[in-house]
Amino acid sequence: FFRISCFLILLYMNSVASGQPLCTLPVGTLSTDTSCNNGEAGCTVGALAASADTRNLLTCAEGYKGNLDTRNVQCPVNGGTFDLPACGVAPIILNWPVNSGLTNSGQTDGQFYGQAVSIPIPKLNVLVPYNNIQFNFVVYDQSPAHYAVGTLHILSAPYTGTPADLSTSASLIASSVSVDDSSFGGKRWTFPPEVELSPAYNYYFYMESQSDKSLSSHANGYPDGVAYISAGQNGAFLESNGDDLDFFLYGLPKVNAPPQAANDNV
């Protein structure tokens, strides 16, 4: 309480001294004038725009992106947040592996595959769910490399049943049928906007359909998940012996979503 009171008093004194209201930038947007940043004392519109090219003053924090422009910035109320185009949480893009330096190998075709994926926490711990999810595996040593076939299921827990029973799993979140996308360079699974993935949670992506290609994998490659393999439609999914499947996951931060509490369902 004492610290909050001191902060408010300082904000009031700075505002009175300048004769203008003081605001701070939204979380994730940073200024070279650190007093303008979120959690600091605040600065005036004039201070925020104190350069010939005002757009060069602002940057996005790690894990954020956006088009920054202070030309029409407003400070609506003393002690408030600047009203301006600012940085938002960046899309989630997991493209594994990325410059891993590991030697990849090909998994046997004709099997059923799954992969556990951990959704990372954005910088500054602003937790919002992601939607517009896209996912694909990677074909071993072929082009186009992006691979999807048949139906993919997202589950909230590891699954040790059979591919035939995936659609009836109690932990099923959503399902998607693969689509061709020439602009993407192959096939992928896409999910409707109502399907959301939350930071700090693990999700499990399982193929209901049999792979007709050899999929790329790395031994102990992905540190935040594990691969699963079933030898047949009625064979149980078993944890792979140290191999992780290569994959691509993309999602957009949900617009106007309230922040979530950090958690982990590992």
Side-chain angles (χ1 to χ4, degrees):
F1 177 77
F2 177 75
R3 292 183 61 186
I4 295 175
S5 298
C6 290
F7 175 80
L8 293 176
I9 291 172
L10 178 62
L11 183 64
Y12 174 76
M13 292 176 63
N14 288 342
S15 176
V16 170
S18 67
Q20 301 179 45
L22 302 179
C23 285
T24 56
L25 289 164
V27 173
T29 304
L30 303 176
S31 171
T32 51
D33 183 345
T34 56
S35 67
C36 303
N37 293 339
N38 191 270
E40 302 298 332
C43 67
T44 64
V45 169
L48 190 66
S51 77
D53 183 355
T54 60
R55 288 165 290 182
N56 290 338
L57 277 173
L58 303 183
T59 58
C60 293
E62 186 177 355
Y64 291 77
K65 66 180 300 183
N67 297 316
L68 304 174
D69 193 342
T70 63
R71 285 174 293 183
N72 296 311
V73 62
Q74 297 182 25
C75 179
V77 60
N78 190 52
T81 302
F82 284 115
D83 182 7
L84 79 168
C87 303
V89 178
I92 178 175
I93 300 177
L94 293 180
N95 190 11
W96 187 261
V98 179
N99 300 323
S100 65
L102 302 173
T103 301
N104 70 329
S105 59
Q107 293 290 330
T108 305
D109 58 357
Q111 301 193 100
F112 300 78
Y113 293 100
Q115 178 68 45
V117 178
S118 179
I119 307 302
I121 300 175
K123 298 296 182 181
L124 303 184
N125 289 322
V126 177
L127 305 184
V128 295
Y130 297 93
N131 59 9
N132 294 288
I133 303 301
Q134 302 171 11
F135 187 88
N136 66 266
F137 290 115
V138 178
V139 178
Y140 175 66
D141 203 22
Q142 292 186 32
S143 181
H146 301 294
Y147 179 77
V149 64
T151 301
L152 183 79
H153 302 281
I154 303 178
L155 278 65
S156 60
Y159 176 78
T160 56
T162 68
D165 293 330
L166 269 166
S167 61
T168 61
S169 170
S171 58
L172 178 65
I173 296 175
S175 305
S176 174
V177 177
S178 62
V179 295
D180 286 299
D181 190 338
S182 58
S183 65
F184 183 68
K187 292 186 176 182
R188 60 182 171 180
W189 291 283
T190 61
F191 294 85
E194 58 267 23
V195 177
E196 300 175 5
L197 304 183
S198 297
Y201 277 80
N202 283 355
Y203 294 92
Y204 302 82
F205 296 78
Y206 287 95
M207 292 172 56
E208 181 183 320
S209 302
Q210 190 176 37
S211 170
D212 58 358
K213 301 285 186 181
S214 176
L215 300 188
S216 180
S217 65
H218 285 74
N220 300 309
Y222 177 58
D224 299 319
V226 64
Y228 299 88
I229 301 175
S230 169
Q233 187 71 30
N234 296 307
F237 277 101
L238 301 176
E239 189 173 314
S240 71
N241 188 22
D243 281 343
D244 295 299
L245 294 169
D246 298 343
F247 65 88
F248 174 86
L249 172 67
Y250 174 86
L252 293 173
K254 185 178 179 182
V255 178
N256 298 325
Q260 301 175 337
N263 203 340
D264 200 325
N265 67 341
V266 177

